[in-house]
Amino acid sequence: IAPVGALAVEKGPRVGEPAPILELTNVDGHPIRVGGVDAFGRRTLLFFLSPTCPVCETLLPTLRRLVHDEGDVRLVYTSDGDPAEHEGFRASKGLLESEYRLSRDLGLRYEVSKLPFAVLIDADGVLRAKGMVNTREHVESLFRAEELAVASLQDYLGRESEHELAVVTGQGGVR
């Protein structure tokens, strides 16, 4: 059985195109820039979450571990809603020192309709992968899609199936 990655969505900015550049403010008042070339050569992982989403909560340790393992990833948590609710959530989950942005506009810009959702932007500011992420494998699939230079693992598997069909039917140049 082939692995299933993050549920890719066609809405919002397209994979392979420059990510929108947004000048935002962190919940602690410090400026955050999302998109564009990263001055430190890091990729950016935007994680859209809600304090009331149990799946979002279970993914927090996975996100930290993946960011650590990948080595060059900046993790930005993003949501909208009541700042007081988020402050309590951040404190209880050890996220007070993290980049955490409350912005309805950011979710609208990426056309996020379901949570949890993640977006991977490369160091040059190009959108490399995005989708709904309900498991560790889904989050990891964003990084694998980037490595394979595909929009999603579904895209990769579709290409592989097309290639296999072309070979079987004699249209793939392989006999």
Side-chain angles (χ1 to χ4, degrees), residues 52-82:
T52 60
C53 169
V55 176
C56 299
E57 184 177 340
T58 62
L59 285 174
L60 295 177
T62 296
L63 290 165
R64 289 185 196 120
R65 195 169 37 258
L66 280 173
V67 166
H68 177 267
D69 292 348
E70 289 289 328
D72 64 344
V73 179
R74 170 185 170 217
L75 177 58
V76 178
Y77 301 96
T78 183
S79 190
D80 63 6
D82 179 24

Side-chain angles (χ1 to χ4, degrees), residues 22 24 80 101-111:
L22 302 164
L24 307 167
D80 63 6
R101 172 67 183 137
L102 292 181
S103 171
R104 185 172 186 266
D105 293 338
L106 189 57
L108 290 173
R109 189 69 176 257
Y110 281 94
E111 297 188 40

